[in-house]
C-alpha cells in the first residue's frame, strides 16, 4: 500500500487499482471565447490548474496508472441535451456557433481537450452529457473492468463537475482524492467551500491533497 499526504488524513492506495480522472479540461471551460466565458465567467481563473495537471498527468503515466479523460458535451443534434440544461444561464448557449465551433458540441474544437493535457493512446475518453461523469456514461463499467477502487480527480470546475463526480464515485464505493491545485473554479469562494465539504466529517466524500504530495507518492 502507498500513501499520499492528504486531509483529513493520509490516503492509502495501490497504483494498480487507482485511476487518474481528468475532468473536462476542454477549451470550452478553460480557454477564452468558450462556454465558460459565455456564461459570464473569467476563465483565466482556471488557467492556474493547467501546469499542476500536466505534472500529475505525467506522473500517473510514469506510474502506469489508468488515466481517463472526460468531456462535457452533446450530440450535434442536441437530442441528448435536456431542455432544462439547454436554457440554463437565462439564454441558449449550448449548440450555438462560437469562435471555437458550436458550444459544447462533440466534434467541435471548443469541446475538445486542451493540447497541454491531450489524451494519448490507451487512455479512455468519456463523453458525458451531464455534470457528473457517471451520469449516462460507461465510466463505471470502465473502472470495474480495470479493477479500479480509488480515483484521483483533477479538472474543472471544482464545485460543479468535479464535486458532482466525487459524490457519484463515493456513493458507488470508490475512494476519491481531489488534487486541490489541479482543480479550479470561476468562483474562488466556491472552490474553497467545495473542497472543505469533501473532506469534512472524516472524509465524508473523500480526501484533499495537492500535486506535490501526489507526485511524490506516485514517482518517489
Ligand atoms: N459552469 C461550470 O462551472 N461548470 C460546468 O458547466 N461544467 C463543468 O464544471 N465541467
Amino acid at each position: 500500500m502507498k500513501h499520499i499526504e492528504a486531509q483529513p488524513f493520509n490516503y492509502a492506495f495501490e497504483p494498480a487499482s487507482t485511476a487518474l480522472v481528468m475532468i473536462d479540461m476542454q477549451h470550452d471551460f478553460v480557454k477564452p471565447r468558450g462556454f465558460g466565458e459565455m456564461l459570464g465567467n473569467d476563465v483565466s481563473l482556471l488557467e492556474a490548474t493547467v501546469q499542476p495537471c500536466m505534472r500529475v498527468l505525467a506522473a500517473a503515466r510514469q506510474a502506469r496508472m489508468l488515466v481517463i479523460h472526460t468531456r462535457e458535451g452533446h450530440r450535434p443534434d442536441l437530442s441528448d441535451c435536456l431542455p432544462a440544461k439547454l436554457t440554463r444561464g437565462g439564454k441558449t448557449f449550448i449548440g450555438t456557433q462560437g469562435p471555437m465551433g458550436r458550444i459544447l458540441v462533440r466534434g467541435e474544437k471548443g469541446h475538445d481537450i486542451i493540447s497541454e493535457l491531450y489524451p494519448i493512446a490507451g487512455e479512455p475518453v468519456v463523453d458525458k452529457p451531464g455534470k457528473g461523469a457517471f451520469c449516462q456514461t460507461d465510466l463505471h463499467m470502465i473502472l470495474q473492468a480495470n479493477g479500479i477502487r480509488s480515483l484521483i480527480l483533477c479538472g474543472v470546475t471544482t464545485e460543479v463537475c468535479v464535486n458532482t463526480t466525487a459524490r457519484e464515485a463515493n456513493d458507488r464505493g470508490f475512494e476519491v482524492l481531489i488534487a486541490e491545485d489541479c482543480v479550479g473554479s470561476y468562483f474562488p469562494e466556491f472552490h474553497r467551500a467545495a473542497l472543505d465539504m469533501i473532506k469534512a466529517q472524516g472524509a465524508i466524500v473523500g480526501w484533499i491533497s495537492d500535486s506535490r504530495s501526489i507526485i511524490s507518492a506516485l514517482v518517489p
Side-chain angles (χ1 to χ4, degrees):
M1 221 46 168
K2 286 179 177 258
H3 292 86
I4 296 174
E5 247 182 71
Q7 293 176 345
F9 51 89
N10 284 355
Y11 176 81
F13 75 108
E14 296 283 6
S17 59
T18 304
L20 172 67
V21 185
M22 303 292 309
I23 297 177
D24 300 358
M25 290 301 283
Q26 301 161 249
H27 295 99
D28 265 333
F29 294 112
V30 181
K31 302 284 183 186
R33 300 175 302 147
F35 182 61
E37 197 169 86
M38 284 181 107
L39 288 172
N41 301 305
D42 175 5
V43 295
S44 71
L45 284 166
L46 303 193
E47 263 172 6
T49 64
V50 175
Q51 290 288 329
C53 277
M54 287 171 73
R55 292 194 287 273
V56 170
L57 180 60
R61 285 171 175 164
Q62 203 180 324
R64 304 192 156 279
M65 270 169 50
L66 178 66
V67 175
I68 297 173
H69 305 259
T70 73
R71 298 185 298 201
E72 180 179 344
H74 298 278
R75 295 167 183 252
D77 64 5
L78 303 185
S79 55
D80 60 349
C81 188
L82 298 169
K85 182 176 181 186
L86 202 54
T87 54
R88 281 303 162 80
K91 217 173 156 207
T92 301
F93 293 124
I94 298 170
T96 59
Q97 194 68 38
M100 292 183 290
R102 294 178 64 209
I103 299 289
L104 282 194
V105 168
R106 295 177 192 159
E108 303 286 349
K109 178 175 179 198
H111 172 265
D112 208 0
I113 294 168
I114 61 172
S115 58
E116 298 92 319
L117 298 166
Y118 212 75
I120 58 173
E123 296 178 349
V125 176
V126 173
D127 278 320
K128 62 190 194 46
K131 303 305 179 191
F134 287 85
C135 179
Q136 306 289 1
T137 72
D138 54 6
L139 176 61
H140 199 176
M141 202 165 265
I142 293 171
L143 298 174
Q144 286 180 316
N146 284 277
I148 299 299
R149 290 187 292 107
S150 309
L151 301 180
I152 297 176
L153 303 187
C154 296
V156 297
T157 61
T158 317
E159 79 279 14
V160 184
C161 293
V162 176
N163 219 276
T164 306
T165 301
R167 289 164 188 273
E168 288 178 329
N170 184 52
D171 277 349
R172 285 165 176 77
F174 296 97
E175 301 218 289
V176 179
L177 176 91
I178 298 179
E180 70 176 339
D181 53 336
C182 298
V183 296
S185 170
Y186 306 119
F187 306 93
E189 69 276 26
F190 291 171
H191 172 82
R192 191 66 263 153
L195 295 175
D196 288 345
M197 281 188 259
I198 295 291
K199 69 180 182 189
Q201 304 181 69
I204 192 135
V205 178
W207 286 257
I208 305 298
S209 187
D210 54 49
S211 58
R212 188 192 53 79
S213 305
I214 293 167
I215 292 164
S216 63
L218 291 184
V219 281

